[in-house]
Amino acid sequence: MKEEISLEELEIRSWKKRLVWSWSFTIPIVFLMYFSKLTGMMLFEEKTMIILQLILAFPVIFIFGSQTIKAGFRGFYTFYFSMDSLIALGTVIAYLTGILQFVFDIQDYSGISAMIMSIFITGKYIESVARGKAGKEIKKLIELGAKNARVLRSNKEIEIPISEVKIDDVMIIKPGEKIPTDGIVIKGESSVNESMITGESLPVDKKKGSNVIGATINQYGILYVKATKIGQDTFLAHVIDLVEQAQSSKVPIQKLADKITSIFVPVILILSILTFFGWYLFFDELTKGIGAAISVLVIACPCALGLATPIALTVSSGIGAKNGILIRKGEAIQTMKEIKFVVFDKTGTITKGEPEVREIYSLIDEKKLMLITASLENLSEHPIAKSIVKKANLKKYLEVKNFKIVSGKGVGGSISNKKIFIGNEKLMKENEISLKSIQAKIDDFENKGYTTMIVSENKKIIGIIGVADAIKEDSVRAIKILNKKGYKTIMITGDNERTARAIASQVGITMVISNVLPEDKSKKVKELQKKGKVAFVGDGINDAPALKNANVGIAIGTGTDIAIEAGDIILTNGSLMGVVKAVNLSKATFSKIKQNLFWAFAYNVFAIPLAVMGILHPVVAEIAMASSSITVVANANLLRRKKI
């Protein structure tokens, strides 16, 4: 089977081929130019030397450098000038001096033109190698996937290529093997190392009913997994797609740099013309004027400016992928540094999203209360409903009629012609059910941080169920760090204020927005945006509108449950420390982008005046220009040393 070659590898090979061939012709030119100067001996007479240089330089400029020449001169008839425009014009003018030398008394720069183009191609090759290294994270992600799968077909265990796995195939994964594709465990127990996807070092326990992600590694037990997603629908494929999106996206500062480049290039073209006429008209130096004009064109080529942001984003997105942070939109990198408020959804974000029944207060027989409650809640998919059903642990449920879900408030229905409501105080008040007799108990539950589910039968309260969701182990640590960094942390929830504050106080959040329906979260985000920029952290599914409306949406979730399309930044594990890492990575990346832009401009600002004054030789100018690009690439790769 033929090995698939990446676009980055093809680009590296292309530039390497041009580099080898261009220097194959340029080295003899250098030998011809400097042999007589070093030895005092003439190999050929001057006219012959110039002809040889023109012959040798031609393929360097017009064959190996043809891509640059075409792209550069395209700007002169489209009026959209690029960095290639300066190199193309500079090398062609330098080459033409060799021909014009036979007519006018000017210095021959034709050999210099080949040197400029060869150095430019060398710089491009070094850049492509650096880009390739930065883009290797995608290749590594692709390589994570299993190549083969062991599946059950006609009750026989066979091994097939991963491409032949079908949905609903039962895969057998032995200890130490990679899980071929996303699926659900139907038999067996084990722990799975998901660090390559989530960045979380501790293995995750898996049993019947657990979701598993393709490319993760089974630890000790044999798992039987039914394939639920294949090919481009798998979680790993989505991760790869997101990393590629991030590497090709632009941040606002890059758009500014692009605008500057579009103005900068024409200005340099005019400056080059003025430099030539300045030397020729005021100093009668035709040769000096041509050399200085070529130097201005070459040194001013803003290659480094074009590289400054993309190379930093490429490196950053690779680092993020390793740490379970997927940057879906590059602009989030810049916006993050301006964030004032970090708003957290409660359930599944600060808490584990796996509520448990902690306390039951019954005004009737407790078994009867749980039978009625579980019969209704069994028809709901809400996590709180599932916790009540789990607690009741019934084999048979009562018949429910007219079942309905009241969003953000609870459920209702009829059992044995009796009207049942289960939900919060809002639901009870809407249905004119008095809470006076149990208000003290409600207050007690809420002070303990319980989500209080009130149960009524024919408008009479028959019990209260206190449900609590365990706080994630590192939520306290993450929020403490964010508070220390100066962010205003806020919790937003559908719980009443007392319950919400009890949870918030446990994790160190002082501002709480409670009693908020899911559809109203985005409105609260918009209200906060009047005071400053907002990052919203949610589970990426129920919180999608708020994630979209926030200045930066951070979707937090685990494995296949994550709603990849919801956020600007996506965390592949459930830890809030991922938010801290995302903040640190964003700041580090934007810092590198600013440093790169500084270096890109610094070379030009310092060197252009020297070129205008005729101090900078065209070859030295090209070496300096190539150096600026290499500096930017090297600086971006220093991001890898940053601990996030």
Side-chain angles (χ1 to χ4, degrees):
M1 189 176 174
K2 195 176 178 181
E3 186 186 353
E4 195 172 313
I5 301 169
S6 66
L7 289 173
E8 289 88 355
E9 187 61 35
L10 285 172
E11 186 184 14
I12 291 168
R13 290 184 185 185
S14 174
W15 282 113
K16 186 177 182 179
K17 193 182 289 183
R18 279 180 267 180
L19 179 145
V20 171
W21 279 105
S22 62
W23 279 111
S24 298
F25 285 86
T26 303
I27 289 170
I29 292 173
V30 174
F31 178 78
L32 288 171
M33 287 174 65
Y34 293 103
F35 180 81
S36 60
K37 290 180 182 178
L38 294 172
T39 64
M41 297 168 59
M42 288 287 290
L43 287 174
F44 305 99
E45 62 177 32
E46 191 177 347
K47 297 290 183 188
T48 306
M49 286 270 287
I50 293 169
I51 291 169
L52 284 171
Q53 286 179 36
L54 284 167
I55 292 168
L56 289 168
F58 184 86
V60 178
I61 305 297
F62 300 105
I63 297 176
F64 313 124
S66 61
Q67 184 178 313
T68 303
I69 298 297
K70 286 176 186 175
F73 279 100
R74 194 178 296 123
F76 290 93
Y77 60 81
T78 61
F79 295 101
Y80 185 79
F81 300 103
S82 67
M83 55 193 74
D84 288 338
S85 302
L86 301 178
I87 290 295
L89 189 62
T91 50
V92 169
I93 289 172
Y95 183 82
L96 290 175
T97 57
I99 299 169
L100 295 172
Q101 203 268 349
F102 291 99
V103 182
F104 303 103
D105 184 22
I106 58 172
Q107 187 174 335
D108 168 34
Y109 284 105
S110 59
I112 299 294
S113 71
M115 292 171 68
I116 291 170
M117 183 58 79
S118 291
I119 294 168
F120 177 76
I121 289 170
T122 303
K124 283 290 185 183
Y125 169 68
I126 293 169
E127 285 173 23
S128 68
V129 170
R131 281 177 183 270
K133 283 181 180 176
K136 274 184 181 176
E137 279 76 14
I138 290 180
K139 193 175 180 183
K140 286 176 187 173
L141 286 170
I142 293 168
E143 288 171 353
L144 282 178
K147 303 296 181 287
N148 297 304
R150 191 182 292 104
V151 299
L152 282 175
R153 294 267 174 92
S154 303
N155 292 322
K156 287 184 180 179
E157 195 177 302
I158 60 168
E159 193 165 311
I160 59 173
I162 188 68
S163 58
E164 292 180 19
V165 174
K166 298 174 183 175
I167 288 177
D168 291 336
D169 268 346
V170 175
M171 304 174 290
I172 304 163
I173 303 101
K174 295 181 179 178
E177 292 182 343
K178 286 183 180 178
I179 294 169
T181 191
D182 296 1
I184 187 166
V185 177
I186 59 170
K187 183 182 175 184
E189 289 187 9
S190 184
S191 61
V192 174
N193 182 350
E194 297 183 341
S195 61
M196 64 287 297
I197 298 293
T198 65
E200 184 63 51
S201 58
L202 293 174
V204 181
D205 291 336
K206 301 292 180 181
K207 58 184 179 180
K208 185 178 179 181
S210 299
N211 288 315
V212 292
I213 307 168
T216 55
I217 300 169
N218 184 25
Q219 298 283 283
Y220 62 83
I222 296 177
L223 291 176
Y224 290 77
V225 175
K226 184 168 75 172
T228 55
K229 290 181 182 178
I230 57 173
Q232 292 304 306
D233 293 327
T234 64
F235 185 70
L236 181 61
H238 281 306
V239 170
I240 292 166
D241 184 49
L242 283 171
V243 175
E244 287 176 334
Q245 279 181 42
Q247 292 185 351
S248 62
S249 65
K250 288 189 177 183
V251 298
I253 199 168
Q254 170 65 17
K255 292 171 185 174
L256 176 63
D258 290 345
K259 284 182 182 177
I260 291 170
T261 302
S262 66
I263 298 167
F264 180 75
V265 174
V267 168
I268 292 301
L269 290 171
I270 294 166
L271 181 62
S272 178
I273 294 166
L274 293 175
T275 299
F276 167 73
F277 281 111
W279 279 99
Y280 181 61
L281 296 175
F282 294 105
F283 301 102
D284 198 25
E285 290 272 6
L286 179 62
T287 295
K288 193 79 171 174
I290 292 171
I294 292 169
S295 293
V296 169
L297 289 170
V298 170
I299 189 59
C301 178
C303 297
L305 192 62
L307 271 173
T309 300
I311 197 71
L313 271 179
T314 300
V315 174
S316 173
S317 57
I319 294 168
K322 283 182 181 178
N323 286 275
I325 302 163
L326 306 177
I327 303 163
R328 185 166 173 262
K329 292 184 180 177
E331 63 193 61
I333 292 288
Q334 184 169 340
T335 309
M336 184 59 81
K337 73 180 183 66
E338 299 163 1
I339 292 297
K340 184 177 178 182
F341 302 102
V342 182
V343 181
F344 296 91
D345 171 52
K346 179 179 77 74
T347 306
T349 303
I350 292 173
T351 63
K352 291 180 178 178
E354 298 171 2
E356 298 174 350
V357 173
R358 295 290 180 86
E359 195 172 334
I360 300 167
Y361 175 70
S362 182
L363 295 171
I364 59 172
D365 179 68
E366 190 173 303
K367 286 184 179 179
K368 186 180 178 183
L369 173 71
M370 292 307 291
L371 176 62
I372 292 168
T373 308
S375 296
L376 248 76
E377 296 288 21
N378 188 46
L379 301 174
S380 171
E381 289 297 316
H382 196 281
I384 289 176
K386 288 181 178 180
S387 72
I388 292 171
V389 172
K390 185 179 178 182
K391 178 69 176 177
N393 193 25
L394 302 175
K395 291 181 180 178
K396 192 175 180 182
Y397 300 95
L398 300 173
E399 185 185 356
V400 178
K401 294 180 179 178
N402 305 318
F403 176 78
K404 65 175 181 178
I405 294 172
V406 186
S407 181
K409 295 170 188 172
V411 296
S414 297
I415 295 176
S416 302
N417 295 320
K418 292 178 180 178
K419 192 72 174 175
I420 310 293
F421 283 107
I422 306 167
N424 57 23
E425 291 183 62
K426 277 188 178 180
L427 182 66
M428 299 300 139
K429 287 175 182 175
E430 281 181 6
N431 288 279
E432 299 176 348
I433 299 166
S434 174
L435 301 173
K436 284 182 182 179
S437 62
I438 55 152
Q439 192 62 58
K441 199 63 185 176
I442 291 172
D443 294 346
D444 177 48
F445 272 31
E446 290 175 355
N447 286 331
K448 291 176 181 177
Y450 298 160
T451 296
T452 305
M453 304 304 292
I454 306 162
V455 187
S456 73
E457 183 183 73
N458 284 344
K459 295 199 173 186
K460 182 183 176 183
I461 304 297
I462 58 172
I464 312 169
I465 299 172
V467 179
D469 190 358
I471 292 169
K472 291 175 185 174
E473 288 78 6
D474 52 12
S475 289
V476 177
R477 182 182 165 212
I479 289 165
K480 184 180 179 181
I481 293 170
L482 291 171
N483 287 336
K484 198 173 180 181
K485 285 179 177 287
Y487 294 101
K488 179 72 176 175
T489 53
I490 301 168
M491 187 177 83
I492 190 165
T493 178
D495 286 344
N496 64 72
E497 189 170 350
R498 190 183 290 112
T499 302
R501 288 202 176 277
I503 298 290
S505 64
Q506 291 177 48
V507 293
I509 291 176
T510 54
M511 185 173 174
V512 174
I513 303 173
S514 56
N515 294 304
V516 180
L517 297 175
E519 59 268 26
D520 291 332
K521 286 181 182 178
S522 59
K523 292 178 184 176
K524 295 296 180 182
V525 166
K526 287 178 181 177
E527 287 173 16
L528 283 170
Q529 283 173 326
K530 294 173 185 176
K531 301 174 185 176
K533 292 194 174 177
V534 176
F536 184 88
V537 187
D539 65 12
I541 302 168
N542 298 329
D543 302 317
L547 284 162
K548 290 286 184 187
N549 285 322
N551 300 97
V552 177
I554 302 176
I556 187 168
T558 52
T560 50
D561 293 330
I562 193 169
I564 281 178
E565 295 302 317
D568 304 311
I569 295 174
I570 296 155
L571 310 178
T572 59
N573 66 48
S575 169
L576 280 192
M577 283 305 296
V579 178
V580 175
K581 288 180 180 180
V583 167
N584 291 340
L585 181 62
S586 296
K587 288 190 172 182
T589 305
F590 190 71
S591 176
K592 282 296 173 195
I593 290 170
K594 287 196 294 184
Q595 289 170 21
N596 282 351
L597 291 173
F598 167 78
W599 284 113
F601 280 114
Y603 272 89
N604 289 333
V605 170
F606 177 74
I608 289 172
L610 298 178
V612 172
M613 291 186 284
I615 297 171
L616 212 61
H617 190 277
V619 172
V620 177
E622 175 54 32
I623 291 170
M625 189 278 292
S627 298
S628 69
S629 296
I630 293 165
T631 300
V632 161
V633 170
N635 186 50
N637 277 281
L638 288 176
L639 253 179
R640 298 180 190 281
R641 297 182 182 180
K642 184 77 177 175
K643 289 183 180 179
I644 61 168

